[in-house]
Amino acid sequence: MRIDQAAAAATKEREPALPTARGPISAAVVAALRDAAHPLPEPATISCADPFGDDVQLALYVCYELHYRGFADVPAEREWDPEILRVRGELEWPFLRELRTRATRHAHARDALDELLAEPADGDGISHFLRDRGELWQLREYAAHRSLYHLKEADPHAWVLPRLRGRAKAGMAAIEFDEFGGGRADRVHARLFADLMADLDLDTTYGHYLDAGSAEALALVNLMSLFGLHRSLRGALVGHFAAVEITSSPGSRRLAQALRRVGAGERAVFFYDEHVEADAVHEQVVRHEVVDGLLDQEPALDGDVAFGADATGWLEDRFAERLRAAWDAGESSLRTGDLTGDAT
């Protein structure tokens, strides 16, 4: 059934259900959250697993989600369970190590960010594909994947605010104020994305598409949480955020064009139109106030800022490759089910 009141669905207070496991590691984490007596995965099991695979990425997402809305029937106190935190560390450090090895391309923040500012005329990214020939079902799948982040948009970035000072803190806070609606609940970007989902006949319940989301989509959200929850990675979080803001405006313009072309409703188009305008301003603030302000105070973080931008681009490329491989084969990019009649 079509959702006409996204506001009600987007503000449900109920915590999401725990997801279906994708392997022995996520199965043990989920079981331990249901029953504290259940054993957590052994370090040897984690060390042998693919840090970018479904099992590890879901387990890591579940551990991080305890710091956001948590899960139904999981006591809030489990957020600080020392054994859960131990397992989270065993999951996240191989992820971070492999990202540093595979994704790092630049030694300096300026080089990494300047490269992002120069968009190629013949770009072939996922937003180019969706603009030029994407179909409505592909845009709906794209939105379902992205809902894992956009229904908590800007929350992971807020973790960095206590770790910044002066110009960097002020610039970051100004951008976050916009992301959180500038004081208006109906303009909070997470709410606007719920409006987009409603227009596309998608379920707007927080966490609804967790089982359907790919490991590549999970990894992008986990990256934000990893950087945000570690003070030692504050430079990487700033680099990640700068990369997102620099690439958001042109990418959002293409996605708005894609939605118009397939006949999507005004609320769906508005989400991306809003980002075209807002993120063009944010891009200037993040580069000149947040990044420059941070590096004026802490020049030793230059390489970390570059790494954050590089890791973001590398994971975005993997996500795009996952979608295109499925779509080029005429298949769904979702792990489970389809989106027919999914709206409630």
Side-chain angles (χ1 to χ4, degrees), residues 77-288:
E77 293 80 7
R78 298 300 300 280
E79 175 185 5
W80 298 111
D81 183 317
E83 287 303 298
I84 296 290
L85 294 175
R86 175 186 60 78
V87 168
R88 195 190 87 188
E90 290 167 357
L91 290 164
E92 62 191 358
W93 293 120
F95 178 46
L96 178 62
R97 181 186 63 243
E98 288 301 307
L99 280 171
R100 288 195 183 279
T101 300
R102 302 189 194 189
T104 300
R105 297 180 53 241
H106 299 91
H108 301 290
R110 181 177 297 277
D111 294 337
L113 300 183
D114 283 352
E115 186 172 301
L116 292 174
L117 286 165
E119 275 221 327
D122 57 347
D124 59 355
I126 199 68
S127 63
H128 295 85
F129 170 84
L130 290 170
R131 178 197 62 189
D132 296 339
R133 49 201 170 97
E135 299 179 26
L136 179 58
W137 68 272
Q138 292 166 328
L139 281 156
R140 295 179 75 234
E141 287 195 358
Y142 180 82
H145 285 292
R146 290 296 196 186
S147 71
L148 301 179
Y149 165 63
H150 280 304
L151 289 180
K152 60 167 168 260
E153 183 168 344
D155 289 351
H157 305 135
W159 297 115
V160 81
L161 282 168
R163 287 94 187 259
L164 302 177
R165 307 191 305 276
R167 284 169 57 204
K169 181 190 284 283
M172 192 75 187
I175 298 172
E176 289 285 274
F177 183 66
D178 285 349
E179 300 281 352
F180 293 133
R184 291 178 52 186
D186 63 327
R187 300 286 296 209
V188 172
H189 284 189
R191 161 73 179 276
L192 296 181
F193 195 78
D195 290 341
L196 173 149
M197 295 178 73
D199 243 342
L200 295 178
D201 290 330
L202 296 171
D203 193 308
T204 64
T205 306
Y206 183 92
H208 178 80
Y209 294 106
L210 180 52
D211 282 335
S214 67
E216 292 80 5
L218 292 174
L220 281 162
V221 188
N222 287 339
L223 180 79
M224 304 178 204
S225 299
L226 170 64
F227 289 169
L229 287 167
H230 290 273
R231 181 178 174 274
S232 63
L233 296 172
R234 62 195 179 279
L237 188 284
V238 166
H240 154 77
F241 191 64
V244 169
E245 295 300 328
I246 288 170
T247 58
S248 176
S249 186
S252 293
R253 181 177 293 106
R254 288 188 287 270
L255 290 167
Q257 292 168 343
L259 287 163
R260 287 191 176 93
R261 182 175 56 76
V262 301
E266 291 182 2
R267 291 182 298 174
V269 174
F270 181 77
F271 176 81
Y272 287 111
D273 277 347
E274 168 73 7
H275 281 70
V276 171
E277 184 174 338
D279 290 346
V281 176
H282 293 172
E283 177 256 310
Q284 295 291 318
V285 176
V286 76
R287 285 196 299 126
H288 299 300

Side-chain angles (χ1 to χ4, degrees), residues 308-323:
D310 285 345
T312 302
W314 191 79
L315 287 177
E316 285 285 356
D317 287 346
R318 291 182 79 250
F319 175 62
E321 289 167 5
R322 162 67 180 252
L323 268 58

